[in-house]
Amino acid sequence: MDIEIKTPEQLRLMRAAGLVVAAALAATREAVKPGVSTAELDAIAEDVIRSHGAIPSFKGYHGFPATICSSVNEQIVHTIPNPKHVLAEGDLISIDCGAILNGWHGDAAITVGVGETRPELLRMAEVAEDAMWAGIAAAARGVRAGTGRLTDISYAVESAVRKAPRKYGIVKGYGGHGIGTAMHQDPHIHNHGRPGRGPQLIPGMALAIEPMITMGSARTAELSDGWTVVTTDGSYAAHVEHSIGLFSDGVWVLTAPDGGAARLGDLLTSAAA
């Protein structure tokens, strides 16, 4: 694997890109309501990104035509925004967004209920988010100890999902990745697996931690547009993501407005101060 190791200053540049992504996601979250099209959300995200002097990472990436991926209900990831796809009361939407600022990428995703949403769907989104933070914490502990391995993150994500009272499908074949001067870099990060395997977690790595879970089967299919990934059983899905930078004393959540302070406590690196 060709893993790009960053200097602390380069991770600070990535933090600037990450905050642009955070701002775009905050604006789209605020705009999510019944009657709004996914194309309208896409326009909002692009306006925020460009107003910060940044460029949408996704637009034009391997031909992808939009700024965000807007995956609704049984759509898991990579859905193209569409003016004809109007959100309805009770929908569940995952919004994935990336931005490039000064040559560095940020990438994050949120899952949001539309209007009055069934509690079990919102709970699934919470489980996905908790699993993401479990993976981030595992990375922080591993880099701080100097003994962490990549699949410690995978194991932590899977374990958090499996501990939930309800059984969820953990999507395979899609997951996290390295990030930096390109949006997708080595290594690929599965959301399941045994701990203690893969590359060592070392300072200077930047990783996107990206759980995707479903209310039913984990089996997926790609639609004829060549992008949209859906559950084969029609069950709803949740997708969340943060980009993180690894330091010797912990991690910095580059796409979280508070850097991860509220969820990480003393696992947050002093570099984030």
Side-chain angles (χ1 to χ4, degrees):
M1 284 184 279
D2 183 16
I3 299 175
E4 183 180 80
I5 303 301
K6 289 80 169 172
T7 66
E9 179 55 36
Q10 289 170 333
L11 289 173
R12 291 186 184 93
L13 293 172
M14 289 189 67
R15 168 63 167 168
L19 287 175
V20 174
V21 173
L25 287 175
T28 55
R29 181 193 290 272
E30 182 67 23
V32 167
K33 57 176 65 72
V36 172
S37 75
T38 57
E40 289 176 284
L41 297 178
D42 186 71
I44 290 168
E46 182 168 3
D47 285 348
V48 171
I49 289 169
R50 295 196 186 279
S51 74
H52 284 80
I55 301 169
S57 297
F58 297 1
K59 201 164 191 177
Y61 183 75
H62 296 296
F64 191 80
T67 294
I68 64 170
C69 299
S70 54
S71 304
V72 180
N73 299 339
E74 78 282 358
Q75 298 167 345
I76 304 168
V77 69
H78 299 161
T79 307
I80 300 169
N82 189 322
K84 295 182 180 180
H85 195 157
V86 176
L87 298 177
E89 191 88 16
D91 281 346
L92 191 71
I93 180 170
S94 298
I95 304 169
D96 193 358
C97 183
I100 312 166
L101 184 64
N102 298 319
W104 295 95
H105 287 255
D107 189 9
I110 57 174
T111 294
V112 184
V114 181
E116 291 294 326
T117 309
R118 299 202 313 270
E120 62 267 29
L121 297 179
L122 298 178
R123 177 57 185 151
M124 174 176 62
E126 290 176 359
V127 169
E129 186 160 353
D130 288 345
M132 174 186 67
W133 283 105
I136 292 170
R141 287 190 294 268
V143 72
R144 178 180 286 184
T147 57
R149 296 283 177 175
L150 185 70
T151 63
D152 297 345
I153 299 171
S154 309
Y155 178 74
V157 170
E158 180 179 12
S159 297
V161 175
R162 300 296 186 211
K163 287 176 183 176
R166 190 190 191 283
K167 183 178 179 181
Y168 298 98
I170 299 177
V171 175
K172 298 182 179 180
Y174 302 91
H177 50 89
I179 186 170
T181 53
M183 181 168 59
H184 290 123
Q185 299 181 329
D186 286 338
H188 178 73
I189 307 170
H190 295 286
N191 290 314
H192 56 90
R194 297 179 181 178
R197 300 182 177 188
Q200 185 176 352
L201 299 174
I202 62 173
M205 283 183 170
L207 306 171
I209 313 301
E210 193 169 6
M212 302 171 202
I213 64 174
T214 74
M215 290 289 286
S217 170
R219 294 183 63 188
T220 66
E222 186 178 271
L223 299 187
S224 59
D225 63 9
W227 287 103
T228 307
V229 179
V230 300
T231 59
T232 57
D233 64 356
S235 63
Y236 284 22
H239 167 211
V240 295
E241 178 184 18
H242 267 313
S243 298
I244 65 173
L246 275 60
F247 293 79
S248 60
D249 61 341
V251 301
W252 194 359
V253 185
L254 304 172
T255 47
D258 71 347
R263 296 294 298 253
L264 293 176
D266 65 1
L267 292 175
L268 180 70
T269 173
S270 60

